């Protein structure tokens, strides 16, 4: 099963109500919300008041990605929004198990995020403690970056490790996810695809529903090419 998450940071911020309505019509399953502190990454984005208004304007569950230093501080700040997921970067946490537990205690699904240059060894000890891994395919901070091909090798290595686990987390991928990068990611068993400027919030003609349907058709074609059952 493949899930589509819309990167709401890439939407038209002056027309969010209409954008959210379009995403609901397109049956997008998650809203990926990037929280940036200007320290862990050189950008600022999506404060709690903004996400509070977004949550009030849609029934689509929130998928909050903390691209921040001191994740514990932001977990407390954003947990009241009752998102489906909160992911934090293992590179930024001084106590990964504690931060996982804190998110779980708030009734939210914890996820671990990993930047392209970070080794998978950083997340391996925690794979059975979380329901999802967020593999960044670009450096967190800015949309429109080039897809990092080396992440494909990391996904191969990650899947080898996860094949030995009884409880396998989902793999979410984020960063220049489009018609060219989706096929190798489907092959590497990615489950949740974050769509931003390159596939959804762009100047190409078509509604969100049409663009999402194109992506779902791409999932199906690549699923069939791998000899798997249709979605």
């Amino acid at each position: 099963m493949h899930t589509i998450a819309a990167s709401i940071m890439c939407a038209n911020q002056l027309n969010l109500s209409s954008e959210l309505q379009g995403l609901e019509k397109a049956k997008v399953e998650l809203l990926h919300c990037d929280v940036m502190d200007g320290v862990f990454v050189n950008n600022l984005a999506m404060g709690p008041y903004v996400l509070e208004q977004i949550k009030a304007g849609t029934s689509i569950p929130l998928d909050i990605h903390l691209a921040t230093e001191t994740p514990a501080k932001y977990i407390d700040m954003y947990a009241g929004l009752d998102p489906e997921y909160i992911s934090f970067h293992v590179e930024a946490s001084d106590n990964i198990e504690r931060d996982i537990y804190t998110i779980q205690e708030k009734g939210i699904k914890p996820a671990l995020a990993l930047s392209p240059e970070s080794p998978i060894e950083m997340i391996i000890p925690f794979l059975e403690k979380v329901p999802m891994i967020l593999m960044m395919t670009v450096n967190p901070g800015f949309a429109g970056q080039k897809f990092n091909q080396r992440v494909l090798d990391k996904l191969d290595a990650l899947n080898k490790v996860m094949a030995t686990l009884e409880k396998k987390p989902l793999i979410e991928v984020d960063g220049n996810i489009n018609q060219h990068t989706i096929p190798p990611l489907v092959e590497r068993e990615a489950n949740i695809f974050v769509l931003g400027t390159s596939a959804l919030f762009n100047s190409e003609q078509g509604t969100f529903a049409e663009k999402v349907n194109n992506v779902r058709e791409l999932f199906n074609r690549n699923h069939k090419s791998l000899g798997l059952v249709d979605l």
Side-chain angles (χ1 to χ4, degrees):
M1 177 179 177
H2 299 121
T3 297
I4 290 178
S7 179
I8 198 63
M9 183 183 77
C10 300
N12 183 342
Q13 302 299 299
L14 296 180
N15 197 24
L16 272 179
S17 179
S18 176
E19 300 276 74
L20 291 170
Q21 290 175 19
L23 293 172
E24 287 194 353
K25 289 179 181 178
K27 294 182 170 56
V28 165
E29 290 102 334
L30 290 170
L31 284 184
H32 187 80
C33 309
D34 290 301
V35 175
M36 305 179 192
D37 62 355
V39 180
F40 184 74
V41 296
N42 292 321
N43 200 359
L44 294 168
M46 313 223 84
Y49 290 129
V50 173
L51 293 190
E52 186 177 286
Q53 293 297 312
I54 288 173
K55 183 173 177 64
T58 183
S59 60
I60 304 173
L62 304 187
D63 168 30
I64 296 179
H65 169 208
L66 301 178
T68 68
E69 292 288 343
T70 323
K73 169 184 174 182
Y74 294 89
I75 291 167
D76 288 337
M77 192 180 298
Y78 285 84
L81 294 167
D82 192 27
E84 185 81 6
Y85 293 97
I86 290 181
S87 59
F88 65 91
H89 277 263
V90 293
E91 305 95 337
S93 174
D94 61 358
N95 191 324
I96 295 170
E97 287 202 29
R98 178 204 63 205
D99 291 340
I100 291 172
Y101 180 76
T102 299
I103 295 170
Q104 288 174 329
E105 282 293 287
K106 296 179 183 297
I108 300 164
K109 297 173 185 175
L112 299 180
L114 194 70
S115 295
E117 302 304 325
S118 299
I120 63 165
E121 285 75 16
M122 296 182 74
I123 59 173
I124 286 174
F126 311 101
L127 289 176
E128 292 189 288
K129 298 180 184 295
V130 295
M132 187 174 78
I133 299 295
L134 169 57
M135 294 289 284
M136 295 298 301
T137 53
V138 303
N139 290 322
F142 294 90
Q145 298 178 63
K146 185 178 179 181
F147 183 91
N148 190 323
Q149 294 289 333
R150 286 180 292 180
V151 176
L152 298 177
D153 293 332
K154 288 173 62 177
L155 284 168
D156 286 334
L158 178 62
N159 278 314
K160 285 182 180 179
V161 174
M162 294 204 301
T164 67
L165 303 180
E166 289 187 14
K167 188 177 180 182
K168 180 180 176 181
L170 299 174
I171 298 174
E172 181 176 33
V173 287
D174 179 14
N176 205 355
I177 306 302
N178 56 41
Q179 61 179 332
H180 304 294
T181 58
I182 285 173
L185 292 169
V186 170
E187 184 179 349
R188 287 162 176 83
E189 301 182 41
N191 309 102
I192 302 174
F193 295 76
V194 179
L195 304 186
T197 54
S198 63
L200 192 58
F201 300 102
N202 52 40
S203 58
E204 295 180 8
Q205 290 186 345
T207 64
F208 288 151
E210 290 168 338
K211 293 174 183 178
V212 166
N213 284 337
N214 289 339
V215 170
R216 294 199 190 283
E217 289 176 7
L218 190 58
F219 289 154
N220 281 328
R221 287 200 300 273
N222 284 276
H223 213 62
K224 288 177 180 178
S225 73
L226 295 173
L228 302 175
V229 178
D230 289 352
L231 299 178

